[in-house]
Amino acid sequence: MAIFVIVTIVGLVGLTLTIARLYSHLAVQERQVVGAWDQLERLLVQRNGHLQKVCMAAGSGPSAVQHLHRSLQRQETARRRGDLSTVAEAEREIRALWDSLYQQDIDIKKENVEESARRVVALDQAIRDTLIRYNAALQMYRHTCRSPFYAPLAWLGGMGRYTPLQPPSSDPDNPA
């Protein structure tokens, strides 16, 4: 009888440690997804800040500037609400408007536009890289959540559901 109690206690301790390890692994993967999303948000805010400066410097210039300003506001509102589809749609608009605006001759200092363009291009590349990292982390997290040992833990632990994002491009028919 004593051996049965000892074996049962050792078995329960082993099971508890295994469940804790599995849950920890799942939580780390979820944190990677959340971290990539946080980095993406920071980059969007920085890039949109540079574009906002161009809009302010141009004043009530070409209508593309006003459309860009509205798209930036729309994306910011959607980003704060967590509406990923609107964020991606607004991102496509922003890129298309910025591409067309950059080629127009607007009434602001050329060096300001050039400096903003360099920063926007660098931030756009960082955004693309972060989107790739986000989607890779999300794919791994989803795969883990679907596996037989992790699925009950994900359900019991209330793990979040996240949506993949496609890297936006200026051409909505041809994603980057």
Side-chain angles (χ1 to χ4, degrees):
M1 181 70 170
I3 293 177
F4 176 73
V5 170
I6 291 173
V7 169
T8 303
I9 290 173
V10 169
L12 288 174
V13 167
L15 181 64
T16 302
L17 291 175
T18 301
I19 289 172
R21 176 143 168 57
L22 291 172
Y23 183 81
S24 174
H25 180 70
L26 193 60
V28 165
Q29 285 190 347
E30 184 181 38
R31 275 188 239 116
Q32 288 174 345
V33 172
V34 171
W37 174 254
D38 287 343
Q39 185 177 11
L40 178 64
E41 280 189 316
R42 281 192 301 276
L43 292 169
L44 284 172
V45 167
Q46 287 177 358
R47 194 275 318 269
N48 291 352
H50 288 292
L51 293 175
Q52 221 32 305
K53 287 178 188 175
V54 171
C55 289
M56 295 300 182
S60 61
S63 65
V65 171
Q66 295 167 1
H67 291 307
L68 178 62
H69 183 69
R70 280 194 293 276
S71 293
L72 288 168
Q73 289 176 332
R74 184 169 156 238
Q75 185 185 51
E76 180 63 20
T77 303
R79 185 185 63 78
R80 289 182 183 197
R81 277 192 266 136
D83 183 0
L84 299 183
S85 62
T86 305
V87 168
E89 184 181 315
E91 182 67 16
R92 280 189 287 276
E93 289 174 13
I94 289 168
R95 287 178 189 247
L97 289 166
W98 172 250
D99 290 345
S100 70
L101 186 66
Y102 184 67
Q103 295 174 11
Q104 292 179 15
D105 206 16
I106 53 178
D107 188 25
I108 58 175
K109 293 181 182 175
K110 196 65 172 172
E111 57 271 5
N112 290 352
V113 174
E114 294 296 326
E115 178 64 24
S116 290
R118 279 197 306 277
R119 290 184 181 188
V120 166
V121 166
L123 287 166
D124 277 344
Q125 184 59 47
I127 288 168
R128 280 188 194 99
D129 295 344
T130 303
L131 275 172
I132 291 168
R133 226 175 8 264
Y134 169 82
N135 284 328
L138 179 61
Q139 182 180 8
M140 227 169 135
Y141 172 72
R142 283 179 152 186
H143 177 71
T144 302
C145 284
R146 283 192 297 260
S147 70
F149 295 111
Y150 289 99
L153 283 175
W155 179 75
L156 287 172
M159 295 295 187
R161 295 183 184 265
Y162 303 99
T163 306
L165 293 174
Q166 296 304 316
S169 68
S170 296
D171 180 10
D173 297 328
N174 184 19

